[in-house]
Amino acid sequence: LHLPDGLTAADGTENVTIDVAHVGTFTTIFTVTDIDVTGAVGIDYAILDKTLSVTVRGTLEQLSKLRPTDFSAVVDLSGYAENTSGVITEVAEIRIDSSYAEGVYEIGEYTVQVRIN
């Protein structure tokens, strides 16, 4: 429990447990095949993962209108230099490009393996 500076819990509570219930939402998995790379200036690379299975949450109505083509993943390689080589694991930012994406979000963190030559 993190309280603002100068405040303490009157009963001395330091830890809390919260249960979150998702009411009216569901999850489903979409296979993302559109994996883009940014920041790879002067870098020879190959994406080793061809697909990502992305779990998303939203209302049943929203989820039923989404299609796999509404999803893409973006990997930023700007932190690597031309002389870097080897296989790396990099976080992929998931993007949902659909008018039905309002209130829909991915669950978890997604990574892809990239070979840099």
Side-chain angles (χ1 to χ4, degrees):
L1 180 63
H2 298 283
L3 297 174
D5 289 340
L7 295 180
T8 58
D11 64 359
T13 300
E14 294 180 7
N15 297 305
V16 295
T17 301
I18 299 174
D19 291 323
V20 177
H22 292 277
V23 177
T25 63
F26 300 86
T27 61
T28 192
I29 297 173
F30 286 91
T31 300
V32 177
T33 58
D34 182 6
I35 303 174
D36 299 317
V37 172
T38 61
V41 178
I43 298 174
D44 182 30
Y45 67 88
I47 302 292
L48 301 180
D49 297 306
K50 301 303 180 197
T51 63
L52 290 172
S53 295
V54 176
T55 302
V56 294
R57 179 179 291 282
T59 66
L60 191 55
E61 180 182 359
Q62 291 166 313
L63 294 175
S64 68
K65 293 177 181 177
L66 293 174
R67 301 289 172 251
T69 55
D70 295 329
F71 293 82
S72 63
V74 179
V75 178
D76 182 7
L77 296 181
S78 62
Y80 298 94
E82 291 179 28
N83 60 350
T84 303
S85 66
V87 175
I88 60 167
T89 300
E90 215 30 68
V91 172
E93 175 188 346
I94 304 301
R95 295 185 179 167
I96 308 171
D97 185 21
S98 170
S99 59
Y100 303 112
E102 181 70 30
V104 174
Y105 56 93
E106 78 273 5
I107 298 172
E109 183 175 87
Y110 299 91
T111 60
V112 294
Q113 288 195 316
V114 181
R115 181 185 315 113
I116 299 178
N117 299 325

